[in-house]
Amino acid sequence: MKIVVRVKLLPTPQQASTLQATLHACNEAADHASHTAFTTNVKRNRELRALTYTTIKSRWSLGAQAAQHVIKKTCDAYASLAGNIKAGNLGRPGSKRYRRATEKPITFRPESAQPYDDRMLSWQMEHRTVSIWTVAGRMKRLPFTGEEQQLRLLARHRQGESDLISQNGQWYLLATVDIPEDPCNPAPHGFIGVDLGIANIATTSTGHRHSGRRLNRSRENDRRNRDKLAKKQTRSAKRRAKRRAGKEARRVRDINHKISKHIVAEAQRTGRGIALEDLSGIRERARLKKPQRVTINSWAFAQLGAFIEYKARRVGVPVVYVDPAYTSQECSRCHHIDKRNRPNQAEFTCRNCGFVEHADLNASHVIGDRGWWAWVCGAESQVPALTLIA
């Protein structure tokens, strides 16, 4: 199983300036390769290399490996664009979004990630330093730090290339590690159903509720502050809005990591699997008023599901995805479905058998039951392997 470990580099101001110059040079070269690919319609690595390699290497003073990675990065970007077009992710041909993506060359931000292979980057794990290629020559003994468990994984299982990135003035290396998975539990003792929501971000059929009330107040305050900053339209307001957006995204990610870790640990401890709702396309299917759209669509439920999925795969916990239709209206005791079974957001009262329970807890029981039957019928999750930043 492949995951991505992020380590933080600790350069001096002079070293940081050199790393920044390196990224800028590589991305300027990538823009040149992209313009050539667009004008000549040559977007395969070998053919584009024949057209651009010599120019890139001499004009931007890049090493041989760096120049080849720049060209490959450009080809990969056009391959991704072609995949999105084929999948219909850019709308219909002729639409504004389609034309914006296809009528001009792909451009790269000055600090877009640059791939490094083992010829350009070497790790000294015992000293917590790296030796990295730059446009000013080899930068040796550059210290790095990170979470201890992740660094142990990096030392044992690192595989393939690493990416150099810059975020908010900080420097990071994203390294791929290939870790072994525990064998999947072939006979789980039932399934823990997970109901996702707003008042409670996640409610499990074992009775654990991860409340989102305090978080929702913070998100509402963040939303109001963003609206105020957007109205000002000044440079300082835009900088502050960008910092606030990054802070909120990190908070959401941290909370999703904690919730997923708790759910997977409970499933592993009790020998059960995990049942999740298949929420793909929910934004297109759901008909909501504007205030509801803002609240529901702003939480990263897909991220939470992905975190649960990859953490479960690491420890051999089976995961199934079930149809989310009517989970909030179905009784977990008699399975009677009625819109009137849920008189308000928090209460569930079955019109058929009189069963009363918290609405989210009842829904989680329904999801758990559907997960068990999906497993019995052989409908094990076929979600593709994930590559995530740990």
Side-chain angles (χ1 to χ4, degrees), residues 12 14 53 55 69 86 105 129 135 144 157 169 176 199 210 220 222 265 277 300 320 323 341 349 361 388:
T12 64
Q14 183 178 0
Y53 175 78
T55 302
H69 280 296
K86 185 176 181 180
T129 61
V135 290
F144 68 85
H157 305 292
T176 304
H210 301 273
E220 184 61 33
D222 290 338
E277 296 172 287
V320 298
D323 185 354
N341 283 352
T349 304
L361 184 57
L388 297 170

Side-chain angles (χ1 to χ4, degrees), residues 77-91:
Y78 278 103
S80 296
L81 175 61
N84 283 323
I85 292 173
K86 185 176 181 180
N89 296 334
L90 299 177

Side-chain angles (χ1 to χ4, degrees), residues 238-307:
K238 291 178 180 179
R239 284 196 299 268
R240 290 176 61 190
K242 186 176 180 180
R243 284 199 302 269
R244 285 180 178 273
K247 183 178 180 180
E248 182 177 0
R250 289 191 297 273
R251 182 170 65 240
V252 168
R253 187 179 187 86
D254 179 64
I255 291 171
N256 280 342
H257 266 303
K258 291 177 179 177
I259 293 174
S260 59
K261 183 178 180 180
H262 181 274
I263 293 172
V264 172
E266 184 175 18
Q268 183 186 20
R269 185 180 66 251
T270 58
R272 286 183 278 189
I274 299 173
L276 300 171
E277 296 172 287
D278 182 6
L279 298 179
S280 57
I282 189 66
R283 293 182 179 180
E284 291 74 20
R285 297 196 306 268
R287 296 182 178 180
L288 303 169
K289 296 180 180 179
K290 187 174 181 179
Q292 294 174 312
R293 290 200 301 268
V294 172
T295 302
I296 291 176
N297 294 344
S298 60
W299 187 258
F301 289 116
Q303 183 188 76
L304 175 57
F307 286 173

